[in-house]
Amino acid sequence: MILVFFPGDDPTGDGPWDMRAYVIFNVVLISMSAIGAAVVLATVRPPARHLPRWLLLAPLLGGSVLLVIRGVPGMAENLLMLTGVRRGGFMGAADISTGEFWTGIAVNTYFFTGAVLLLGTTVSYSRRSAESGPRRSADQVR
């Protein structure tokens, strides 16, 4: 966590962003991860049963969409890299180092695995919360 605020040498690589943008970006990512972990944990904790269904389902759906958008193309990129069709992936250089190659594989696999797990959690919670919701009697339907 300390590296977010004091990363040492310029982590932006002399890019168009300054250190403040780097810190804001990392704080947003860490916050999203912490909120996501809390929401996923709330889907299986008894006290969360009193929360409105939408309060957990909205961030679950949003996180699922974000991870699918990042994870599925990442897995396609992994396939390109592993088969040798495009060693640097979609946008990378063709002559990357072995370390960059395996780092790309690991990062893309991480996001794809997150997408699969969060989609499973979202579907499971959606079904469980719909089943345990208030039932309407036949008199209320009429």
Side-chain angles (χ1 to χ4, degrees), residues 33-133:
S33 298
I35 290 167
V39 168
V40 168
L41 186 60
T43 64
V44 294
R45 302 295 297 171
R49 290 188 185 130
H50 303 292
L51 296 173
R53 182 174 185 246
W54 66 267
L55 192 61
L56 295 178
L57 201 52
L60 285 172
L61 288 170
S64 293
V65 167
L66 287 175
L67 282 173
V68 165
I69 288 171
R70 174 59 177 88
V72 172
M75 189 51 67
E77 184 173 60
N78 278 358
L79 293 174
L80 286 176
M81 292 169 72
L82 289 171
T83 58
V85 172
R86 181 88 173 111
R87 183 166 165 86
F90 291 126
M91 305 296 253
D95 59 342
I96 62 172
S97 70
T98 302
E100 290 170 326
F101 176 79
W102 287 110
T103 299
I105 298 290
V107 168
N108 289 334
T109 302
Y110 178 78
F111 279 103
F112 183 77
T113 303
V116 169
L117 293 175
L118 191 58
L119 274 173
T121 300
T122 302
V123 169
S124 173
Y125 176 74
S126 178
R127 288 181 181 165
R128 283 183 291 121
S129 64
E131 291 170 0
S132 67

